[in-house]
Amino acid sequence: MRYRWQKQLLIPAGLMLVYLCLQLLNWIPGIDTVDAYQTAQQLLKTFCFTLFIFLLSQYCQQPQAIRWLLIAIIISGCLQAFYGTLLNLLQLDTSPIFGYHDGDRAKGSFVYQNHFANYLALCLSIAFGWLLSELKTTKKEFDLREMLIDLLSTLFSRKLILRLAIVIMVIGLILSRSRMGNAGFFTALGLVSLLSMFIYRRPPTLFKPLVISIFILDLLIVGSIFGVDKLKQRLDDTSFSSETRDEVVFDSIPIIKQHLFTGTGGGSFYTVFPQYQPQFYSGFYDHAHNEYVQFLVEYGVVMTSVLGFWVLYAFWLACRTMYLRNNKLYKGVAFGCAMAIVHMLLHISVDFNLQSPSNTLLFLTILTLCWLVRYLPSDTQKKVR
């Protein structure tokens, strides 16, 4: 490893590997698992995730490599959105490739529409951050003529491709009918945009119009064409009496209390929860539909706190990048990463998005980008240690 920050990035993942090994081997009294097979699977996946983070931090140490990574993320989001939107509008009985029944909600290549929505929201955050980095920075007093020229240059440049990609992914997000997927994305956009007003020393000229256009053009105008009213109806119809996810959370509390510090073992929620479930629900729950609860059940409060601090520290690095660095690309990517982290922290309170390997890999990519844009020098010939 070339840089000291790479070791800092990998420490939490390494601790997770060690802890899973201890749960599996049962060398320390109290640290064990109720389902050795599932914990072994979690150990294997965690090892692959750790290796992925290491390789990403090792081979994306130049601005051009980061741009190629951003391109890959945005293209994957656009392909998912296009595929999901096309199937939803065609109203096919089953998808032509995977043979799934989508119903009235877009799912792309995902089985679960909320995983699809979460994936698109993360890709959208990165796309918005990159688009923000392409905008010109304010250098003088407000000039309407200069602002109009900047707006026209944006419309007839490569920025237009990024803007169209955002529109495509917003359409897919709306058609997923995911309540927290949509609410989380637009909440994250609003919160991080408001926060950046205080962090950015010189905000881009068209920053505010760009944010407003996302809400007005994408959510209201484009959304009305592609059925945002159905999403609104789902939100209006939501009630605790019709939902059983909150009951799963409440019924998981005794497990957390009994295994507060050490947990029941990685991947063991599916095994241990039926033993504490007081009644049958209308649906089958192999996950808690709340990642905070599931991580506390499986890993205990200590390991969950370590991982939580890791994510919050990544958010802090993104904010520091927006404040300290002068590189426009790095500042824009940091904005997108901060937005993606806020969205994920909101969405996982009602779903299990980190149990999907594709979503987990994308989120780990975003966390790694927080370290890359904070510590990599703009001049690649220099080294920051």
Side-chain angles (χ1 to χ4, degrees):
M1 288 184 285
R2 293 174 57 191
Y3 301 119
R4 185 168 58 237
W5 58 261
Q6 286 179 276
K7 299 176 183 178
Q8 300 172 1
L9 171 63
L10 289 167
I11 284 175
L15 290 175
M16 185 70 165
L17 280 173
V18 172
Y19 192 72
L20 283 166
C21 287
L22 291 175
Q23 285 185 328
L24 195 60
L25 297 173
N26 194 17
W27 285 348
I28 301 177
I31 302 180
D32 57 1
T33 177
V34 300
D35 192 333
Y37 175 78
Q38 290 295 335
T39 303
Q41 295 299 310
Q42 288 294 110
L43 177 62
L44 179 60
K45 286 193 290 185
T46 304
F47 174 76
C48 294
F49 292 152
T50 305
L51 185 60
F52 175 79
I53 295 171
F54 169 72
L55 293 174
L56 199 62
S57 65
Q58 191 73 13
Y59 290 100
C60 289
Q61 296 186 357
Q62 296 180 350
Q64 188 58 39
I66 292 178
R67 287 191 180 92
W68 280 114
L69 180 61
L70 301 180
I71 290 172
I73 292 172
I74 294 170
I75 288 178
S76 69
C78 287
L79 289 176
Q80 282 288 347
F82 179 77
Y83 180 68
T85 300
L86 183 64
L87 294 186
N88 184 266
L89 296 179
L90 290 177
Q91 292 292 308
L92 299 176
D93 292 334
T94 57
S95 59
I97 299 178
F98 300 102
Y100 296 143
H101 176 65
D102 288 349
D104 62 342
R105 305 176 193 175
K107 298 179 182 178
S109 64
F110 291 82
V111 178
Y112 187 39
Q113 71 275 0
N114 287 318
H115 289 170
F116 170 69
N118 182 264
Y119 189 87
L120 289 185
L122 297 181
C123 293
L124 273 165
S125 301
I126 295 301
F128 186 85
W130 194 8
L131 179 60
L132 186 63
S133 72
E134 295 289 329
L135 301 180
K136 291 184 178 179
T137 303
T138 303
K139 294 183 179 180
K140 55 185 179 180
E141 296 295 327
F142 175 78
D143 187 342
L144 181 60
R145 179 175 175 274
E146 190 70 23
M147 182 176 176
L148 290 175
I149 294 175
D150 291 342
L151 181 61
L152 290 175
S153 65
T154 300
L155 292 176
F156 297 99
S157 68
R158 62 181 180 181
K159 304 182 193 68
L160 180 61
I161 299 176
L162 278 172
R163 191 65 185 88
L164 289 175
I166 291 174
V167 171
I168 292 171
M169 287 187 279
V170 166
I171 292 172
L173 181 62
I174 292 173
L175 287 177
S176 71
R177 315 282 187 240
S178 172
R179 290 163 292 186
M180 186 54 82
N182 283 270
F185 170 72
F186 289 104
T187 300
L189 174 60
L191 289 176
V192 177
S193 298
L194 183 62
L195 180 63
S196 66
M197 299 292 183
F198 300 95
I199 295 178
Y200 265 88
R201 295 177 178 177
R202 292 187 303 171
T205 308
L206 297 177
F207 176 61
K208 292 180 182 178
L210 179 61
V211 174
I212 294 172
S213 74
I214 297 289
F215 283 97
I216 296 179
L217 177 64
D218 295 35
L219 180 60
L220 299 181
I221 299 178
V222 176
S224 63
I225 298 174
F226 290 94
V228 74
D229 54 321
K230 295 182 180 179
L231 173 63
K232 181 178 179 297
Q233 186 63 42
R234 283 204 74 208
L235 289 169
D236 293 339
D237 293 341
T238 301
S239 65
F240 285 108
S241 59
S242 61
E243 288 282 348
T244 55
R245 299 184 195 185
D246 58 313
E247 296 179 21
V248 177
V249 172
F250 288 129
D251 293 338
S252 299
I253 293 177
I255 313 176
I256 297 173
K257 289 181 177 179
Q258 187 172 346
H259 306 272
L260 181 62
F261 294 104
T262 59
T264 61
S268 64
F269 182 87
Y270 169 79
T271 304
V272 73
F273 180 70
Q275 303 172 27
Y276 291 81
Q277 183 178 348
Q279 61 183 353
F280 291 103
Y281 308 131
S282 58
F284 175 73
Y285 286 90
D286 53 350
H287 297 289
H289 283 262
N290 184 314
E291 292 287 12
Y292 301 108
V293 170
Q294 183 151 347
F295 271 73
L296 284 171
V297 168
E298 296 181 355
Y299 303 106
V301 68
V302 176
M303 197 64 234
T304 301
S305 299
V306 171
L307 296 176
F309 177 78
W310 187 40
V311 174
L312 292 177
Y313 186 67
F315 179 79
W316 168 253
L317 287 178
C319 292
R320 293 290 290 173
T321 301
M322 287 189 278
Y323 178 70
L324 294 175
R325 303 216 62 170
N326 294 320
N327 187 297
K328 292 175 63 177
L329 174 65
Y330 292 170
K331 291 178 70 172
V333 172
F335 181 98
C337 291
M339 187 174 154
I341 290 172
V342 172
H343 167 81
M344 182 62 87
L345 292 178
L346 290 172
H347 202 174
I348 62 175
S349 65
V350 294
D351 253 307
F352 52 100
N353 298 299
L354 292 176
Q355 307 302 320
S356 169
S358 57
N359 293 52
T360 303
L361 282 173
L362 179 56
F363 189 58
L364 290 175
T365 300
I366 290 168
L367 294 182
T368 306
L369 280 170
C370 291
W371 265 267
L372 289 170
V373 298
R374 174 66 186 94
Y375 291 112
L376 286 183
S378 299
D379 182 4
T380 56
Q381 298 302 317
K382 298 178 182 179
K383 293 185 179 180
V384 177
R385 293 190 179 274

